[in-house]
Amino acid sequence: MKRINIKSSYLNIYKDKTLDIIKQNKLFWVFLIIFILKSIIFTTIIQASGAAGFEISLLGNSLAKGFSYMLFSMMMLSFSFVAKGAGQWKVMIVLDMVLTVIIISDVFYYRGFSSYMNFFLLDQLSMTEDLGGSVIALFRPIDLLFILDFMFLSWVIKKFKDAYKNKIRSFKSFCLILTFSFIFLAVYYLDFNFEYKSKIALVENKLEYYHMPEEKMVMLGPIGYHIYDGFNYFNNKKPFTLSVEDEKSVKEFYDEKEENLSDNEYKSYFKNKNLLLIQVESLENFVINREVQGQTITPNINKLLNNSMYFDNYYEQVWNGNSSDCDLLVNSSVYPVREGATFYRYPNNYYPHSLPNIMKALDYNTFVVHPDMAMYWNYKPALSAMGFEKLYFAEELKVEEKIGLGISDKEYFQKTLEIIKKQKQPFYGVTVTITSHTPFDLPKEYQYLNLKEDLNKNEMGKYFQAIHYTDKQIGNFIDNLDKEGILDNTVIVLYGDHTGVHKYFQDKINMMKNKEEWWSNNDNKIPLLVYNKNLPSRTISTYGGPVDLVPTLGYLMGVDNKHYNTAMGRNLLNTNKDFVILSNFEVRGNVTEEEKNRYKTYLILSDKLIRSNYFYKKQ
């Protein structure tokens, strides 16, 4: 094996003046400082409440990782040495623009989804064409910090650009910076324990310890995070098969999940009745049974409570797929994948325990009426694969009145009623509203609440107006079902898909003046009501979320447990376990620390089950 003379190599570098070339490239050092500062500012902002401010107390976390940010910045800027002459500073400007776009996109996306832009989402850009208003609503004044450098860069370049006229390409400079950055990063992130694991495996293990994107982002910085994300993207594109250890974890999960409790009064409570779900866009729990400036926000939903099971410890669990994740959770009882949207990545996955499948086992007719276009977020193939027999999308609804992202809730429910009237009974149907989607902008004629001007113009007031409008349309819809004689034999399940005003505008709520205390925090809660005209009012305080809806409704509808025993959720009406797992790995409920640590692993396990299409292979 040929020995490398390290001393000789350094002498050659010195003789070739490679180090001098790097040292004398003044703009390289200017841009390096800019890149490091942007990385530190960005990672400090995303740690702040609502990712909307710069808190000095959080700066230390970012500064502690400054060496890592510097090395990744050097790697990125090293490509400028491949160009010659003025091309070098032009490459650096382009790289600065690229980094700025990445950072701004990341901070916007983080405010909305507690995650960052990734390669899986780039595959889905066609799905964001109607989200312009929502994106603009995520802007905060502090974001201007990321473009300040462009205001003085023209002066800097003018001062130094003459020095670049005769600059030559320096592949050695490029290779030297890239190599040394990589070596120091390896030292920084790896323990160089070559005895039992490869370097790459050590990196993965160290990063996998950090479950949440925010933790990885602070650790790596924006450049390093997206390099890792690229590696993760291509790695995830490969067919995934469960390992022997994974199979063991699956068995342990289902063994632990099985409670074997005696049936109670809720078993088959609604047997043979129609089952109709109403998924309400951005409906939070804090508005239920509340008034604003003397006006009831959700009078029709409040009225339903008189004949409902009301679950008051029910939490959102969506991830990168947002509303589409709720469709997944509610109908398939699995947690979403951790990277990208499940419907987009795995639209054809099979779930034998899905709600439409278990209802079909009882000879129910199944259908869904969706306000979006059929291929938006891959709704049509995903919902078809779940087992829905009839699917109606915006194309079939022939939208006449559009508010915000799509068909108005008023027109939607009018057309949905006509569809339901034609359905064979008993049926299982799903309806989905859309008007109360962020940024909650309603035409003035549909702002039915008489709010003071200062409240009516801010996000909280707009949210109240949007939810009140949707509540009115829900009330009209249920009244019409009653007039048609359908309501008597129907169970209505009403719930929010995810939180709304607190999800996107918590920072603005915190800064509001003259706000009422109950506006401050919704605590990630969404309401769940199971309504029937003849049902006495009751409140269920067991902790749960959308992943638990399949076994809970299956139990109420008289489905044999064997048809949903592979669901990841549990029956909230017959369980001794009291917990819910949020998408950020937080576990709420009455649990021990040991249980919390074990329950957190369920999100990773579900990710593996979906990626391997486990249920299809096990049928």
Side-chain angles (χ1 to χ4, degrees):
M1 184 175 177
K2 185 178 179 181
R3 297 182 63 185
I4 299 173
N5 189 327
I6 296 177
K7 186 176 181 181
S8 175
S9 297
Y10 276 112
L11 286 173
N12 287 335
I13 290 171
Y14 179 77
K15 287 178 182 178
D16 292 343
K17 298 184 178 180
T18 304
L19 291 176
D20 286 339
I21 291 172
I22 298 171
K23 187 168 62 174
Q24 293 168 10
N25 194 323
K26 295 180 181 180
L27 280 181
F28 172 84
W29 299 104
V30 169
F31 276 100
L32 180 61
I33 293 170
I34 290 172
F35 280 28
I36 296 169
L37 287 175
K38 284 189 178 183
S39 299
I40 290 173
I41 292 169
F42 168 67
T43 53
T44 303
I45 288 173
I46 57 133
Q47 294 175 79
S49 174
F54 190 88
E55 298 179 18
I56 298 298
S57 60
L58 299 172
L59 181 60
N61 292 337
S62 297
L63 289 175
K65 304 297 181 184
F67 183 65
S68 168
Y69 304 165
M70 180 190 74
L71 293 172
F72 280 119
S73 297
M74 289 177 69
M75 289 177 70
M76 189 174 183
L77 286 167
S78 68
F79 287 89
S80 64
F81 287 94
V82 177
K84 66 178 180 178
Q88 288 191 8
W89 63 261
K90 290 178 182 178
V91 168
M92 286 185 264
I93 288 180
V94 170
L95 290 172
D96 188 19
M97 290 178 177
V98 169
L99 177 62
T100 303
V101 169
I102 289 172
I103 285 176
I104 292 175
S105 299
D106 278 342
V107 77
F108 276 30
Y109 198 80
Y110 184 77
R111 286 171 186 148
F113 304 99
S114 299
S115 185
Y116 303 102
M117 292 297 294
N118 55 61
F119 284 93
F120 292 107
L121 294 170
L122 292 178
D123 284 344
Q124 302 160 207
L125 283 179
S126 61
M127 307 298 175
T128 62
E129 57 187 11
D130 293 326
L131 297 177
S134 301
V135 171
I136 292 171
L138 296 173
F139 170 78
R140 300 292 185 271
I142 199 167
D143 300 339
L144 295 173
L145 284 176
F146 299 120
I147 60 172
L148 279 180
D149 58 307
F150 293 104
M151 297 176 66
F152 67 85
L153 269 180
S154 58
W155 175 82
V156 174
I157 290 166
K158 185 177 181 180
K159 182 176 177 62
F160 293 112
K161 73 175 183 178
D162 288 343
Y164 281 81
K165 288 180 179 179
N166 300 314
K167 289 281 186 184
I168 61 171
R169 286 190 181 92
S170 179
F171 287 104
K172 289 185 179 180
S173 298
F174 164 70
C175 293
L176 180 65
I177 295 172
L178 204 62
T179 303
F180 272 64
S181 298
F182 181 81
I183 291 172
F184 278 107
L185 282 167
V187 172
Y188 188 75
Y189 286 112
L190 306 177
D191 300 323
F192 279 95
N193 186 347
F194 296 110
E195 295 178 10
Y196 65 101
K197 286 183 179 178
S198 70
K199 290 188 285 185
I200 293 296
L202 282 168
V203 171
E204 288 179 332
N205 285 351
K206 193 162 186 176
L207 289 172
E208 285 306 317
Y209 175 77
Y210 300 99
H211 292 304
M212 287 299 293
E214 178 194 317
E215 297 170 321
K216 291 178 182 175
M217 181 63 83
V218 173
M219 181 181 180
L220 296 171
I223 301 171
Y225 179 90
H226 287 289
I227 291 174
Y228 169 74
D229 176 57
F231 171 79
N232 191 43
Y233 171 77
F234 289 106
N235 195 41
N236 272 266
K237 280 287 188 178
K238 303 172 186 175
F240 181 78
T241 304
L242 294 180
S243 67
V244 173
E245 191 63 32
D246 291 332
E247 293 277 6
K248 181 182 176 183
S249 298
V250 174
K251 185 180 185 305
E252 289 174 351
F253 167 78
Y254 283 113
D255 286 345
E256 181 186 11
K257 179 177 173 288
E258 191 62 45
E259 294 189 77
N260 292 317
L261 303 175
S262 300
D263 287 332
N264 58 30
E265 61 178 304
Y266 296 113
K267 176 68 175 178
S268 303
Y269 199 92
F270 294 126
K271 189 176 178 65
N272 297 324
K273 290 190 179 296
N274 300 317
L275 178 61
L276 182 63
L277 272 55
I278 302 178
Q279 181 170 301
V280 185
E281 173 64 46
S282 300
L283 177 62
E284 300 192 18
N285 195 64
F286 85 115
V287 296
I288 305 300
N289 271 333
R290 288 289 191 173
E291 291 187 353
V292 56
Q293 296 178 358
Q295 301 158 87
T296 305
I297 301 170
T298 57
N300 293 289
I301 295 176
N302 297 350
K303 183 180 175 183
L304 296 180
L305 290 174
N306 296 324
N307 300 98
S308 293
M309 297 177 194
Y310 172 45
F311 294 76
D312 64 347
N313 276 322
Y314 196 72
Y315 293 78
E316 77 158 274
Q317 295 176 307
V318 301
W319 193 228
N320 284 341
N322 226 26
S323 296
S324 69
D325 280 349
C326 189
D327 291 73
L328 171 82
L329 285 152
V330 164
N331 286 288
S332 295
S333 192
V334 292
Y335 300 97
V337 292
R338 300 305 299 172
E339 303 287 347
T342 307
F343 272 16
Y344 192 87
R345 290 183 61 190
Y346 304 101
N348 300 311
N349 270 28
Y350 174 68
Y351 308 97
H353 54 259
S354 73
L355 205 45
N357 279 335
I358 67 175
M359 295 310 292
K360 282 194 293 187
L362 295 180
D363 293 325
Y364 271 60
N365 165 40
T366 64
F367 68 93
V368 59
V369 186
H370 215 286
D372 288 306
M373 302 293 281
M375 295 311 297
Y376 191 68
W377 293 102
N378 277 343
Y379 275 123
K380 185 173 183 177
L383 294 172
S384 296
M386 279 184 191
F388 283 103
E389 297 166 302
K390 300 174 185 175
L391 300 97
Y392 306 89
F393 293 96
E395 294 92 330
E396 288 80 21
L397 297 178
K398 295 182 173 59
V399 179
E400 297 172 18
E401 181 182 55
K402 183 176 179 180
I403 297 178
L405 295 189
I407 185 172
S408 71
D409 288 347
K410 178 180 179 181
E411 183 187 356
Y412 171 77
F413 279 123
Q414 289 172 348
K415 294 189 173 179
T416 297
L417 178 66
E418 296 305 312
I419 290 172
I420 291 176
K421 285 160 59 176
K422 297 173 184 176
Q423 299 301 314
K424 176 186 174 184
Q425 298 189 33
F427 61 72
Y428 165 54
V430 176
T431 63
V432 181
T433 74
I434 197 171
T435 301
S436 50
H437 194 287
T438 182
F440 320 124
D441 286 331
L442 279 183
K444 194 165 183 62
E445 62 267 28
Y446 289 140
Q447 296 176 20
Y448 299 128
L449 291 172
N450 184 23
L451 303 179
K452 293 180 181 178
E453 187 174 357
D454 60 336
L455 176 58
N456 205 46
K457 287 185 176 180
N458 69 30
E459 284 73 19
M460 185 62 78
K462 290 179 179 180
Y463 180 74
F464 289 150
Q465 292 283 15
I467 291 298
H468 184 72
Y469 165 85
T470 296
D471 175 85
K472 181 179 178 66
Q473 309 316 318
I474 290 171
N476 291 338
F477 176 58
I478 292 174
D479 286 344
N480 288 328
L481 287 174
D482 199 10
K483 291 174 185 176
E484 295 292 338
I486 298 172
L487 194 61
D488 291 326
N489 192 44
T490 299
V491 179
I492 290 181
V493 181
L494 185 144
Y495 56 91
D497 60 350
H498 54 72
T499 55
V501 66
H502 291 92
K503 186 179 186 73
Y504 304 107
F505 303 109
Q506 184 66 60
D507 59 304
K508 293 191 176 183
I509 295 171
N510 294 342
M511 294 187 293
M512 283 181 64
K513 297 178 181 179
N514 303 317
K515 65 174 180 283
E516 296 189 39
E517 184 60 34
W518 60 274
W519 300 0
S520 296
N521 189 1
N522 179 61
D523 200 31
N524 294 107
K525 285 188 177 182
I526 50 178
L528 170 63
L529 286 70
V530 180
Y531 165 87
N532 180 260
K533 285 178 69 175
N534 301 314
L535 181 67
S537 175
R538 62 194 71 184
T539 299
I540 311 294
S541 294
T542 305
Y543 281 79
V547 76
D548 302 308
L549 207 53
V550 168
T552 302
L553 294 181
Y555 194 71
L556 284 168
M557 303 305 293
V559 180
D560 192 309
N561 178 61
K562 68 181 182 183
H563 290 299
Y564 55 82
N565 60 3
T566 54
M568 296 198 74
R570 69 193 195 286
N571 175 9
L572 299 180
L573 296 169
N574 191 19
T575 180
N576 289 328
K577 298 177 180 179
D578 194 18
F579 72 93
V580 62
I581 312 165
L582 308 190
S583 57
N584 64 354
F585 291 89
E586 182 181 353
V587 179
R588 305 268 183 97
N590 298 302
V591 291
T592 65
E593 284 302 313
E594 188 278 329
E595 287 173 329
K596 281 185 179 181
N597 291 331
R598 188 167 71 255
Y599 295 156
K600 288 177 183 178
T601 65
Y602 293 177
L603 299 184
I604 302 300
L605 180 64
S606 181
D607 179 89
K608 292 179 178 180
L609 293 179
I610 294 172
R611 287 165 56 200
S612 65
N613 204 0
Y614 172 83
F615 302 107
Y616 175 76
K617 294 175 182 177
K618 287 293 181 179
Q619 66 176 323

